[in-house]
Amino acid sequence: MGKRQRPGTSSGIITIDLDSPASEDFENHPSKQYARSRRIAKKQGEETKCSTIVSSCSVETFPHGHKSKKRLKGKDAISESKKKLDTRAFDIHFKNLWRNFSEDKRMPFTYFDSLWFAAYMTSSSKECMLTWIKEKHIFSKPYVLVPIVYWRHWSLLIFCNLGESLQSESSPPCMLLLDSLQMAGPRRLEPAIRKFLFDIYKSGGRPESRESILQIPLLVPKVPQQRNSEECGNYVLYFISLFMEQAPENFRMKDYPSFMTDEWFNLEGLKNFCEQLKPLEK
């Protein structure tokens, strides 16, 4: 491994061979153990703080219903699935959906927790979110699924080809924003999304300039639209399901919007999808 030097008493410098048993005494010195425990405690404290912020964000963004042990069945379960999903229900359905895909289908994808974007928007939790995102290694994946719940509405942001060169002619980075309520103006989130993306690049130590990152296209395909205010969460889950099933190995700008049109799916397909969502324990 090498050698390390530390102050001595007579010659001024003591050399420690890190491959020798003596190095264990140095590494296990009480001062080293104390410093290590301080670092661990600090990290645990930061993680607890982040988790607390995310939990409060969940309550503020989309309140959960009252918990009970009753399990819904039959028509009650179908009726429940038509209600606007809170973050707890969405995450459970999403993780079940994710597990149902084969490893090969999941390979090109990674995803963010549904509360990360909303939590990032609060200054007190921004650094936590960027740290967690860095651990996702998103620049090695063709697709990053980012469910967004903001202003009490669900939409789906997809980062494509973030690891590719911004000058790539075949598969340059781009963003897709799938919104089932386009009449509300999905581009109102664009300034926040672009700042989010810039901070992701910056925290990941990427060499791209701010100007080039801000030029990454944000595309808003005309996908099927919801019929009432309660359906947006189910639409996002269905967007995810169909996108993972149909997405090409490499998303190319010249193929846009590809399969993502207002005829992408019909109401019967959405209904069948919602009925297949596993009922949740309350």
Side-chain angles (χ1 to χ4, degrees):
M1 291 178 60
K3 297 183 177 181
R4 179 183 299 172
Q5 294 180 333
R6 62 183 174 92
T9 55
S10 56
S11 61
I13 295 292
I14 295 177
T15 300
I16 297 178
D17 186 346
L18 296 181
D19 292 323
S20 72
S23 66
E24 296 180 4
D25 295 334
F26 177 74
E27 293 298 328
N28 293 326
H29 190 275
S31 63
K32 296 285 289 185
Q33 292 179 333
Y34 176 73
R36 188 181 300 115
S37 65
R38 286 285 300 273
R39 289 195 299 270
I40 294 173
K42 181 179 179 181
K43 182 177 181 181
Q44 290 175 339
E46 290 173 349
E47 291 177 348
T48 301
K49 178 183 176 182
C50 290
S51 299
T52 302
I53 292 170
V54 171
S55 298
S56 65
C57 182
S58 172
V59 173
E60 295 169 1
T61 308
F62 235 38
H64 299 312
H66 178 69
K67 295 181 180 179
S68 70
K69 295 184 178 180
K70 183 179 178 181
R71 186 178 181 85
L72 301 176
K73 298 181 179 181
K75 293 182 179 179
D76 291 335
I78 296 174
S79 175
E80 181 71 13
S81 71
K82 293 180 180 178
K83 295 180 181 179
K84 184 176 288 187
L85 296 178
D86 62 24
T87 52
R88 171 184 170 273
F90 182 94
D91 286 340
I92 292 174
H93 286 315
F94 172 76
K95 288 174 182 176
N96 287 334
L97 181 66
W98 179 263
R99 284 192 290 265
N100 286 336
F101 278 101
S102 67
E103 185 175 350
D104 287 343
K105 280 291 185 181
R106 295 196 303 259
M107 188 68 66
F109 294 87
T110 188
Y111 63 87
F112 293 177
D113 185 280
S114 64
L115 285 172
W116 283 7
F117 180 82
Y120 164 84
M121 296 291 284
T122 65
S123 58
S124 58
S125 60
K126 183 178 298 184
E127 293 304 318
C128 293
M129 296 305 102
L130 293 174
T131 298
W132 291 351
I133 289 170
K134 189 175 181 180
E135 294 172 354
K136 284 283 188 176
H137 306 292
I138 63 173
F139 294 101
S140 65
K141 295 289 184 177
Y143 300 109
V144 184
L145 304 172
V146 187
I148 291 177
V149 55
Y150 207 66
W151 294 314
R152 298 185 60 81
H153 175 64
W154 288 97
S155 57
L156 175 64
L157 177 65
I158 305 175
F159 294 139
C160 305
N161 307 322
L162 289 191
E164 299 295 326
S165 167
L166 299 180
Q167 286 73 44
S168 171
E169 295 184 1
S170 58
S171 303
C174 68
M175 298 178 283
L176 302 171
L177 182 58
L178 280 53
D179 195 321
S180 60
L181 193 62
Q182 291 191 7
M183 62 180 295
R187 286 195 177 275
R188 61 183 176 165
L189 280 175
E190 182 169 357
I193 289 173
R194 291 199 174 279
K195 188 175 187 307
F196 186 43
L197 182 63
F198 172 74
D199 283 344
I200 289 173
Y201 268 89
K202 183 179 178 181
S203 67
R206 301 285 296 189
E208 290 84 355
S209 68
R210 178 186 181 89
E211 291 72 20
S212 60
I213 294 171
L214 294 178
Q215 293 301 314
I216 294 176
L218 175 63
L219 309 172
V220 186
K222 294 181 179 179
V223 293
Q225 299 292 283
Q226 64 192 71
R227 299 157 297 173
N228 60 63
S229 61
E230 305 300 312
E231 295 181 310
C232 52
N234 288 327
Y235 269 74
V236 167
L237 286 170
Y238 201 32
F239 288 151
I240 292 172
S241 177
L242 293 182
F243 190 87
M244 289 186 67
E245 192 66 49
Q246 301 175 22
E249 183 176 347
N250 294 305
F251 186 85
R252 300 180 300 179
M253 290 280 292
K254 67 178 184 179
D255 295 331
Y256 174 79
S258 187
F259 50 84
M260 294 169 290
T261 68
D262 53 5
E263 298 179 352
W264 187 10
F265 57 83
N266 54 42
L267 295 178
E268 188 65 25
L270 176 66
K271 178 183 176 183
N272 292 337
F273 173 80
C274 292
E275 290 178 354
Q276 291 172 11
L277 294 176
K278 292 183 179 180
L280 305 179
E281 293 184 358
K282 292 289 184 174

